[in-house]
Amino acid sequence: MQALFWTVEEVAQRAKEFYENGIRQQVEHGDNLGKMIVIDAETGEYGIDQSGVESGLKLKQKNPNARLFTMRIGYDVAVTFGHAPMLRTVE
């Protein structure tokens, strides 16, 4: 499937489906809570680190056209500015 033409909403939906259908059970435990997970919305590959930057770079090295989605493990909001969430995790 060609990821170049997906909307932001489609990338988020696909990544959340990967998360709910298998990734969540593997990563939501004490050591990972609060860390960032970056998911390739096309392949389901993911990486985890404190900021998401290293994982995102590694996934982009594998596939420069990857459509990545980032969320904080175990929390509803990954980043906030004022009172409005900028990135949301799986609901």
Side-chain angles (χ1 to χ4, degrees):
M1 183 177 283
Q2 179 60 286
L4 291 175
F5 303 107
W6 293 349
T7 65
V8 172
E9 292 80 12
E10 289 170 323
V11 170
Q13 178 185 357
R14 287 185 54 87
K16 289 176 183 180
E17 287 173 6
F18 278 120
Y19 192 79
E20 288 299 323
N21 293 323
I23 296 174
R24 177 190 291 269
Q25 294 80 10
Q26 297 173 33
V27 303
E28 281 197 4
H29 54 78
D31 293 343
N32 287 333
L33 293 180
K35 291 183 181 178
M36 301 301 286
I37 184 169
V38 182
I39 302 170
D40 182 327
E42 185 171 6
T43 66
E45 283 188 80
Y46 65 91
I48 299 170
D49 64 67
Q50 288 296 336
S51 67
V53 174
E54 292 176 30
S55 296
L57 291 173
K58 288 179 185 177
L59 289 169
K60 281 289 192 177
Q61 283 178 338
K62 285 185 174 183
N63 178 8
N65 294 321
R67 296 297 178 232
L68 304 178
F69 183 76
T70 303
M71 65 179 96
R72 187 173 304 278
I73 298 171
Y75 292 87
D76 286 340
V77 177
V79 178
T80 62
F81 183 78
H83 297 286
M86 294 172 66
L87 297 175
R88 294 196 50 84
T89 61
V90 179
E91 296 179 351

